[in-house]
Amino acid sequence: MTDIAIHTEGLTKHYGEVHALVDLDLDVRTGEVFGFLGPNGAGKTTTIRTLMDEIRPTAGKASILGMDTHTESVQIRRHIGYVPGDLAMYPNLTGQDTLTYFANLRGGVDWGYVDTLADRLDADLSKKVGDLSSGNRQKVGLIQAFMNRPQVLMMDEPSSGLDPLVQREFQTMMREVAAEGRTVFLSSHTLSEVQRVADRVGIIRHGHLIALEGVSELRSKAIRRVELDFTSPVEASVFAAVPGVRDVEIENHRAVLSYDGQMAALLKTVADRYDVVDIHTQEADLEEIFLTYYRDEARDVAEVTA
Ligand code: ATP
């Protein structure tokens, strides 16, 4: 069995003038949770719909489990659980009937496992789907994706509308899938979720993949918020001159800044000039790391596409 679950080469999709996806080269490894992160309109849905052969790429190609996403899409479907961004369900069917419908399409299902999934997600399968809130409807969509224990779970912003407790359980379920050697492709615009659940993260913006990192590597970029207090007033230029320092704010005897370098280098420079009274540092969350990427990389993308 291949250790690459999803592979894309130069995958590109234009809608007229809109370059929704540009030259995506990506390998998602078997047994990982891959977070596909980007703001609204970044190209996440376009990528997933192309992989699912719902839309044809303008250029490039892709494979899932070694099979071509276009010519072998029928075979691929047997191994995929899919949560689209806009799952269509019959409003007059109950959740149970809906799942029966999907189960019949796939030649049966382990109903004991369906009950377990419903319990874990706190889903009410007795109500008509049309009478459910969007979050509760989403749970039915998640169960239909998980219930056949697929090799690959392809999910487009699956947590939308779920309350925090259910989100946590859902995250645990995704980790279990990966622990079993199955693969999760999770599109999301929620950093905290991806931070908790993903092994690696691809960041997409304006159709371009602008970063591809392990979650731990992303964190080890270790941007820190640093607050320093001094015995006398300080000048921003002293801090700004240290490589890795950014966003310096000075308030009389105090400096607050972001820093992604060796702490010793920063401390030596400032201690040569001022008497340090107190230091407080805090690891930046992924949000800040993400914004930093966006600020720098978005400029590059703008220059390339200008
Ligand atoms: P969201 O979280 O809002 O769904 P996304 O990252 O999934 O965002 P896409 O839906 O893939 O983004 O959209 C990427 C770009 O392609 C956007 O600019 C969008 O307006 C455009 N787009 C998507 N579908 C079409 C279409 N059928 N026709 C024209 N433009 C489209």
Side-chain angles (χ1 to χ4, degrees), residues 30-33 173-184 199:
T30 302
E32 74 175 340
V33 177
M173 287 163 56
M174 286 190 271
R175 287 304 330 162
E176 289 170 2
V177 165
E180 289 169 17
R182 301 187 283 137
T183 308
V184 178
D199 297 292

Side-chain angles (χ1 to χ4, degrees), residues 14 111 172 176 258 304:
H14 297 172
W111 285 106
T172 305
E176 289 170 2
S258 293
V304 169

